[in-house]
Amino acid sequence: MTRPFVATIPFLLVLNAAQPAHAHDDHCAAIRESVEKAGFADSVTVVCDGDHASIISDTFPDHEMMTGIVGTNEQVPVPAKDHAAPIPLEPKLGDTPQTRDSSLGVAVNGVPIYDYTAGGEMTEAELYHYQAHHDTVATQQLDECGGHAGKGDDYHYHAKPTCMIEQMKNAGDDAIIGWAFDGFPIFGDNNPDGTQIADGELDVCNGKADDTFGYRYHTSADAPYIIQCLMGEVADLQALPRVAPLRSIDGNGGRDSGVPPRGGVEDLVFTQFPGGGGHMEYSYRGETYYIRYAPSDRPDCYDFETRTVTNGGEVETGTYCR
């Protein structure tokens, strides 16, 4: 590691509590503009209502997924129709970093953003110590775009969303690439004016003060790579949305999450099919395994056929729904 991410500056900032009446409208406009300028308005909707903006999408990016993964959990990306990510319109900084075992924000293309680990919610003490065995980059769990499919067969980012950034019409240091669930924006590796961020300048959550928004997060070349925790106030962290996992068509049980094959797999490729289907294939110890699905006759349901290392190479079928 070339840069430790222990906070070396105070991360409690004080914002003016008496924000102008139009603050909600301004923040809503900034969120909507970040999606529109990036070129994702056709697939992502921003709706402002009350104290929050909702970034609504199917969480399915329009870029290559899963390529290059070695430490697969044998899950596959499946769309999550009308997933709504709430962003506060009047963000306020707190004095304690907060974490959860799910997404901490959303990218401007509608894909959820997690912290860098695969271990779930971190304690406050763990935030200050690099979790090597849970690092999704170091353990080769991520694709070339910084994401993978989680236990709910939901695609999300754990690191800088490189493929999304390449697609952005306004790609550059001043472009917002996402929003955290505390209402603060997420930028790339550099300051919005293009200057480099010095070692130790970012706090434990990978953020710093901002003249426009009061605070902002950044991606980074080294761990934690992306937003690690929330520095802003969140009324109920556990009430924040999660992408619903796939459940069997009768509602009893779901598609079991896989177990990463020892030593990893080779040649993993995911192919999207016209009409909403997908096929993921990979090799393990000379054998070929796969997970494929196609839309079922029922809305938001998919017919699966799988042959995985986790289930001993047996071919299994089933219909699962969000």
Side-chain angles (χ1 to χ4, degrees):
M1 308 304 294
T2 60
R3 176 171 64 85
F5 55 97
V6 175
T8 58
I9 61 173
F11 48 77
L12 173 59
L13 303 174
V14 179
L15 295 181
N16 183 1
Q19 296 196 34
H22 56 73
H24 282 51
D25 292 340
D26 290 348
H27 210 65
C28 174
I31 295 169
R32 182 174 285 116
E33 186 178 78
S34 69
V35 172
E36 293 174 348
K37 284 189 173 182
F40 299 121
D42 289 343
S43 57
V44 178
T45 302
V46 177
V47 176
C48 296
D49 184 17
D51 295 331
H52 289 78
S54 293
I55 297 179
I56 304 170
S57 73
D58 64 2
T59 73
F60 216 63
D62 185 23
H63 62 61
E64 187 174 10
M65 290 181 282
M66 309 300 283
T67 300
I69 291 177
V70 174
T72 179
N73 56 8
E74 298 194 289
Q75 306 297 129
V76 66
V78 180
K81 184 179 178 181
D82 295 331
H83 177 71
I87 310 299
L89 294 178
E90 191 176 337
K92 298 177 181 178
L93 279 171
D95 56 5
T96 303
Q98 301 183 79
T99 67
R100 67 192 293 248
D101 62 345
S102 188
S103 55
L104 295 172
V106 61
V108 289
N109 66 349
V111 174
I113 296 174
Y114 283 53
D115 65 39
Y116 77 99
T117 74
E121 183 175 353
M122 288 184 279
T123 65
E124 185 174 350
E126 288 172 333
L127 290 172
Y128 292 89
H129 299 282
Y130 173 56
Q131 307 293 308
H133 57 300
H134 288 315
D135 185 335
T136 51
V137 174
T139 54
Q140 298 180 281
Q141 297 180 47
L142 302 185
D143 61 22
E144 297 173 351
C145 299
H148 72 172
K151 294 179 180 179
D153 293 292
D154 57 312
Y155 188 81
H156 52 255
Y157 300 123
H158 281 274
K160 181 179 179 180
T162 54
C163 298
M164 182 202 76
I165 292 173
E166 290 174 359
Q167 292 179 326
M168 293 174 63
K169 293 181 178 180
N170 64 336
D173 293 324
D174 61 346
I176 293 172
I177 66 171
W179 294 88
F181 284 151
D182 57 10
F184 293 110
I186 306 169
F187 289 84
D189 289 356
N190 293 326
N191 290 308
D193 63 4
T195 58
Q196 292 187 345
I197 297 172
D199 288 350
E201 189 174 346
L202 298 179
D203 65 25
V204 68
C205 293
N206 237 30
K208 59 178 293 188
D210 181 84
D211 291 339
T212 301
F213 298 100
Y215 182 85
R216 65 177 185 261
Y217 298 98
H218 280 277
T219 61
S220 55
D222 301 316
Y225 312 115
I226 203 164
I227 176 174
Q228 179 177 232
C229 46
L230 298 176
M231 279 307 310
E233 295 180 359
V234 178
D236 187 350
L237 200 67
Q238 299 309 316
L240 291 172
R242 302 168 186 262
V243 174
L246 292 175
R247 308 289 294 179
S248 60
I249 198 166
D250 58 8
N252 297 320
R255 208 179 88 75
D256 294 334
S257 58
V259 178
R262 184 181 296 273
V265 302
E266 297 178 329
D267 305 320
L268 189 150
V269 176
F270 174 71
T271 304
Q272 300 179 53
F273 295 144
H279 176 91
M280 191 171 80
E281 186 172 297
Y282 45 97
S283 299
Y284 182 67
R285 295 181 178 177
E287 294 284 333
T288 299
Y289 297 88
Y290 64 88
I291 301 172
R292 68 170 62 104
Y293 66 89
S296 173
D297 293 335
R298 297 194 180 191
D300 300 325
C301 296
Y302 300 87
D303 297 326
F304 273 76
E305 179 179 308
T306 66
R307 181 177 189 262
T308 63
V309 180
T310 299
N311 63 24
E314 296 293 325
V315 175
E316 298 183 351
T317 59
T319 300
Y320 300 93
C321 312
R322 283 286 180 207

